[in-house]
Amino acid sequence: MPETLRFAVYPTPELAIRAAADLFTALAPQTVALAGGNTPKELYGLLASDDYRDRTDWHELEIYYGDERAVPPNHPDSNYGMSRRSLLDLVPIQPDSVYRMEADDADLEAAADRYAQLLPQHLDLVLLGMGTDGHTASLFPGDEACDEHERRAAPATAPNGARRMTLTFPTLNSARHVIFLVLGADKRDALRQIRSGKQLPAGRVAPGRGDVTWIVDAAAYGDA
Ligand code: 6PG
């Protein structure tokens, strides 16, 4: 875990999301891994909005994913599908610059190896969220995907047994910049554990030559 975790704490989720959009556009990344789940939906919507759309050169952007559920792209649980609806279908992205994780492939091991081949050596930016158990991407506490030291993408299993594909710590920790966006009181306990040094997966994201910025709201951060 990095010596000092940098938390930017905002009084409201809206202000935190706006800060994440400002940092995204300021970094002007060319290769980005998008986060899944619910929290990033509003961030994606803001990046696609009139206020922000022209601040990013979408034609130059390559889109990857931090993780994916083992569902087809049009399934309601698909991170790819969510990112299409809330961002990619609303901005001039090059169709062949979006690299979906084929986590619905019958041979998840082979699909993960194929995905690893597609990844740039260093992602410019990785967007991540955190679950209430301190997981990030699909790196769940106690799952063997957390012990991958060679593979850059790997199959994973969620606590409910659902199959996933995830970027591994070697890939996350070779990124140039990581932004965590974590909102809501239900994330407070895991965040407190990470702040106190507990080795939960989200706390193990520490790029050797990159930066990590935790953008959180006051509800998630709790008292100082
Ligand atoms: C996923 C995500 C996962 C997510 C956390 C937080 O596919 O579910 O990539 O790591 O970031 O579970 O999810 P919420 O934003 O929905 O709370």
Side-chain angles (χ1 to χ4, degrees):
M1 190 179 81
E3 292 77 41
T4 53
L5 286 179
R6 269 183 312 151
F7 290 94
V9 185
Y10 294 85
T12 66
E14 293 74 20
L15 288 172
I17 290 163
R18 189 162 284 274
D22 290 341
L23 184 52
F24 182 105
T25 52
L27 290 168
Q30 293 211 318
T31 57
V32 176
L34 295 180
N38 292 311
T39 304
K41 286 179 187 165
E42 282 185 52
L43 168 61
Y44 299 158
L46 190 57
L47 289 169
S49 70
D50 294 346
D51 278 0
Y52 280 80
R53 188 182 314 113
D54 299 339
R55 299 190 201 180
T56 295
D57 189 351
W58 299 102
H59 291 99
E60 295 302 318
L61 208 51
E62 289 177 15
I63 299 286
Y64 301 86
Y65 291 84
D67 70 322
E68 184 59 281
R69 293 87 180 266
V71 294
N74 54 4
H75 188 283
D77 293 347
S78 165
N79 287 337
Y80 170 81
M82 177 273 285
S83 71
R84 283 236 76 103
R85 292 185 299 274
S86 54
L87 176 62
L88 303 177
D89 290 344
L90 310 172
V91 294
I93 198 99
Q94 306 282 359
D96 55 5
S97 296
V98 179
Y99 300 93
R100 182 178 81 89
M101 281 183 163
E102 298 173 341
D104 53 332
D105 193 295
D107 186 345
L108 197 47
E109 294 282 350
D113 291 343
R114 283 198 306 277
Y115 201 74
Q117 297 298 319
L118 295 173
L119 292 166
Q121 196 182 356
H122 301 282
L123 286 158
D124 291 331
L125 175 60
V126 177
L127 295 176
L128 292 172
M130 183 193 73
T132 55
D133 60 356
H135 81 260
T136 192
S138 282
L139 296 165
F140 294 94
D143 184 51
E144 59 189 26
C146 289
D147 304 325
E148 282 292 348
H149 301 297
E150 301 301 326
R151 300 176 80 173
R152 307 195 68 218
T157 306
N160 64 4
R163 296 291 276 160
R164 304 267 190 115
M165 188 190 297
T166 188
L167 297 185
T168 59
F169 284 121
T171 303
L172 300 180
N173 288 335
S174 66
R176 294 195 173 88
H177 205 107
V178 173
I179 298 176
F180 276 98
L181 179 62
V182 178
L183 308 173
D186 62 340
K187 305 290 172 71
R188 186 180 298 179
D189 181 51
L191 210 51
R192 183 172 288 138
Q193 291 183 57
I194 286 171
R195 289 164 56 200
S196 67
K198 181 98 183 287
Q199 283 287 293
L200 295 175
R204 291 177 54 190
V205 178
R209 276 180 284 156
D211 286 332
V212 182
T213 305
W214 287 76
I215 295 180
V216 304
D217 66 358
Y221 195 74
D223 51 17

